[in-house]
């Protein structure tokens, strides 16, 4: 069995090769912290004694760190879980470092984990006043959403009314079965820009007429 | 928003191909997105459940990540379709189809308000049995009820979709895939009773290419399917007429000699004195009945057999021209000349190059079909190749969804219209 102290040494070497600086850690809890590339990294180190229960609690703990905006990793013995199980952790945006007979190796990082957008939008809870400020902003957003909801319901009522009026017009007026074709033509007549928006396979396609005739009045 | 305007805005095409699933809404433009039609069933574990990654089946790009694990792929990786058909009782295959459908629709779920689900146009093989339609509608129903992604749905046969995409209102679509070839006459709608299927496709051309490689001393490479396919695409030729082509090759060996250099390796494949066999590869796709193929069958190459899948017979050795004539002769007589004048070939299995120095000896697929039809006494034949055939089905779906009025309800009798799921 590889001693935890040996693992931690190997990890420190590996991380320094990645350009990260050791920031400290708790030997008792097996947590080591690193900084670099503008991010804080936290690595939970597991040895072969812990087995699966410790892996589960490490995964949950790491998910918590990841949610706080830190880059969470677990250093895990290669044989402690199946690759499918490890994938479940990776899918959650947690990095995995495997150690075995061939030394230390990182599983290919997940897109989620290294995604630029995600890292840019990660929330950093720097202090309480910042959090309060954000809550106030959210409250303003909620208020705006309520206003939009009101507008939506008004619009839906108008749409329903418009639908009824269209149906009545269709019932009383001449039914034009090739209305789809007309819609396409109208669009192209309205502006040159619209014409270019139509995909090539739709332009002058005789099926538009044929299929439009399959309307409820011609079925 | 009025139904018709709403529908045109949210038309979504889904092409359920045997190897690839192509999908996307009308706003996608000229080309759909594509993922492999397969799903991975990961090992179930407490850990996966706790981490919230306990999907029964994984589809799309994430499948590749699981393949790295090297787990038992044979049991965990499921390709749901064979020859375009999902077997009725194959529960895992249907789970893959459902997950792929969800994956595709979710990827394009619009943000904001006013979205009540897509108008989905799904395309299935022309030989898909009715239960596949029923099961697919069940999937769309659940997509409507569980995740609000489907407003209405319809299902059309893939050859109809190809005809629509190529603006042909009366034609015979000959679609040749990896495992089979479907011939479907269309006249403003699919003529369902006239569909003919062949139990032959690109994989059969690969099979004879492998035999040719064995004879040329490359037996160790003949088992590598991807390589054999590349060699076929590079060295395979389609003769205008097989016997004269072989005679020409034997008296002009240098004219037909060619080398395939395997990219990234030192390996070079040259058929040398067997270069005349390059003509067998193309000929076999169009007509495997020539006596020269008997020796290959005797040596163990599987002969394409007549098989029955569901209610459909897939003919093994019927030649392509005979299959076209069989399909057309199932249609009304007055329609037959029109159908012969619009034959549309679609699929990679019809892509045969004609080297400059072999013009006249080799031909492309359209010329070959025309010659074969003439030999059988059919005149005034016009054959065209589909451009960008890989996107044709999806494009046809988009046109179909855009044009068929939202108020036209699904009819099991006509097998067309919209099945509405939005209440």
């Amino acid at each position: 069995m590889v001693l935890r102290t040996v693992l931690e040494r190997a990890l420190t070497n590996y991380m320094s090769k990645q350009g990260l600086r050791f920031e400290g850690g708790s030997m008792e809890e097996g947590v080591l912290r690193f900084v670099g590339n503008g991010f804080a990294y936290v690595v939970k180190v597991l040895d072969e004694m812990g087995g699966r229960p410790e892996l589960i609690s490490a995964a949950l703990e790491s998910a918590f760190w990841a949610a706080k905006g830190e880059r969470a990793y677990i250093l895990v013995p290669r044989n402690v879980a199946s690759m499918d199980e490890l994938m479940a952790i990776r899918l959650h945006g947690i990095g995995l470092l495997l150690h075995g007979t061939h030394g230390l190796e990182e599983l290919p990082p997940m897109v989620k984990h290294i995604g630029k957008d995600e890292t840019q939008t990660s929330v950093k809870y720097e202090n309480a006043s910042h959090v309060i400020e954000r809550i106030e902003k959210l409250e303003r957003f909620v208020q705006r959403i309520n206003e939009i909801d009101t507008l939506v319901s008004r619009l839906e009522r108008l749409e329903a009314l418009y639908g009824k009026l269209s149906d009545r017009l269709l019932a009383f007026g001449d039914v034009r079965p090739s209305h789809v074709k007309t819609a396409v033509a109208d669009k192209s007549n309205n502006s040159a820009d619209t014409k270019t928006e139509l995909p090539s396979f739709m332009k002058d396609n005789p099926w538009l007429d044929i299929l439009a005739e399959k309307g409820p009045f011609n079925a | 928003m009025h139904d018709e305007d709403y529908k045109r805005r949210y038309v979504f095409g889904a092409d359920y191909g045997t190897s690839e699933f192509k999908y996307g809404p009308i706003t996608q433009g000229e080309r759909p997105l594509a993922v492999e039609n397969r799903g991975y069933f990961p090992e179930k574990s407490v850990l996966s459940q706790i981490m919230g990654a306990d999907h029964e089946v994984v589809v799309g790009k994430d499948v590749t990540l699981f393949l790295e694990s090297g787990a038992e792929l044979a049991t965990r990786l499921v390709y749901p379709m064979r020859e375009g058909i999902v077997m009725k009782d194959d529960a895992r295959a249907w789970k893959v189809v459902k997950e792929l459908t969800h994956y595709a629709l979710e990827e394009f779920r619009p943000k904001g308000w006013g979205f009540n689900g897509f108008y989905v146009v799904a395309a299935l093989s022309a030989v898909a049995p009715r239960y596949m339609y029923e099961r697919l509608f069940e999937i769309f129903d659940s997509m409507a009820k569980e995740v609000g992604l489907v407003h209405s749905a319809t299902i059309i046969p893939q050859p109809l979709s190809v005809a629509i995409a190529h603006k042909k209102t009366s034609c015979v679509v000959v679609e040749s895939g990896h495992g089979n070839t479907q011939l479907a006459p269309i006249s403003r709608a699919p003529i369902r009773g006239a569909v003919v299927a062949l139990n032959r496709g690109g994989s059969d051309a690969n099979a004879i290419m492998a035999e040719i490689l064995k004879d040329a001393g490359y037996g160790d490479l003949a088992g590598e399917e991807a390589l054999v396919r590349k060699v076929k695409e590079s060295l395979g030729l389609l003769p205008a007429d097989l016997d004269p082509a072989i005679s020409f090759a034997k008296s002009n060996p240098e004219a037909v000699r060619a080398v395939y250099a395997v990219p990234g390796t030192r390996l070079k494949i040259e058929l040398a004195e067997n270069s005349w066999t390059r003509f067998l590869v193309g000929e076999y796709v169009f007509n495997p009945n020539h006596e020269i193929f008997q020796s290959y069958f005797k040596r163990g190459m599987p002969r394409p057999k007549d098989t029955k899948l569901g209610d459909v017979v897939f003919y093994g050795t019927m030649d392509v021209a005979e299959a076209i004539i069989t399909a057309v002769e199932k249609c009304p007589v007055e329609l037959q000349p029109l159908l012969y004048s619009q034959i549309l070939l679609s699929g990679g299995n019809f892509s045969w190059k004609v080297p400059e120095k072999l013009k006249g000896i080799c031909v492309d697929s359209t010329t070959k079909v025309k010659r074969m039809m003439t030999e059988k006494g059919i005149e005034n034949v016009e054959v065209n190749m589909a451009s960008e055939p890989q996107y044709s089905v999806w494009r046809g779906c988009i046109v179909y969804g855009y044009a068929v009025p939202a108020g036209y309800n699904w009819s099991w009798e006509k097998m067309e219209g919209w099945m509405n799921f939005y209440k």
Side-chain angles (χ1 to χ4, degrees), chain B residues 203-214 228 232 277 280-282 284-285 292-293 296-297 301:
Chain B
S203 60
D204 294 272
N206 295 349
I208 194 155
M209 189 72 242
E211 293 299 318
I212 290 167
L213 284 175
K214 280 184 207 166
V228 171
K232 174 192 77 175
T277 56
L280 301 185
V281 187
Y284 190 66
V285 171
I292 202 163
F293 297 117
Y296 290 94
F297 297 142
M301 187 178 83

Side-chain angles (χ1 to χ4, degrees), chain A residues 84 92 159 200 203 214, chain B residues 1 30 43 51 167 408:
Chain A
D84 278 1
H92 229 70
E159 280 174 353
S200 62
K203 285 177 195 161
K214 291 186 184 293
Chain B
M1 196 186 296
E30 297 283 340
E43 177 190 342
M51 294 309 292
K167 305 174 184 177
Y408 182 41

Side-chain angles (χ1 to χ4, degrees), chain A residues 55-56 59-60 63 81-92 94 108 110 148 152 155 159 162-163 166-167 179-180 183-184 187 198-208 210-216 219, chain B residues 1-2 4-5 7-8 26 29-30 40-43 45-48 50-53 62 65-66 68-69 71 76 113 160 163-165 167-169 186 188-189 394-395 398-400 402-405 407-408 414 416:
Chain A
L55 176 62
I56 292 170
L60 291 171
S82 72
M83 288 303 271
D84 278 1
E85 288 179 309
L86 294 176
M87 274 299 304
I89 297 174
R90 283 178 63 202
L91 284 170
H92 229 70
I94 297 163
M110 289 293 300
I148 291 169
V152 169
L155 191 61
E159 280 174 353
Y162 170 71
S166 297
D167 290 343
H179 55 285
V180 172
V184 176
K187 272 187 175 181
L198 276 178
S200 62
F201 55 88
M202 289 188 86
K203 285 177 195 161
D204 305 319
N205 194 324
W207 281 96
L208 289 171
I210 295 168
L211 296 169
E213 283 168 11
K214 291 186 184 293
Chain B
M1 196 186 296
H2 193 256
E4 205 57 41
D5 298 329
K7 182 208 68 184
R8 281 182 222 143
I26 190 168
E30 297 283 340
Y40 181 82
F41 287 79
E43 177 190 342
S45 74
V46 176
L47 183 63
S48 307
I50 289 172
M51 294 309 292
D62 283 347
L65 295 168
F66 280 91
E68 292 165 10
S69 70
R76 297 194 179 279
W113 54 274
L160 171 65
I164 293 172
K167 305 174 184 177
K168 303 271 187 205
T169 54
I186 309 275
R188 295 170 67 91
W394 175 82
R395 288 171 177 175
I398 294 297
V399 177
Y400 190 93
Y402 186 87
V404 172
Y408 182 41
K414 293 185 173 183
E416 59 183 29

Side-chain angles (χ1 to χ4, degrees), chain B residues 12 24 96 179 186 188 221 271 315-316:
Chain B
F12 192 101
V96 174
I186 309 275
R188 295 170 67 91
L221 303 176
L271 299 178
Y315 297 99

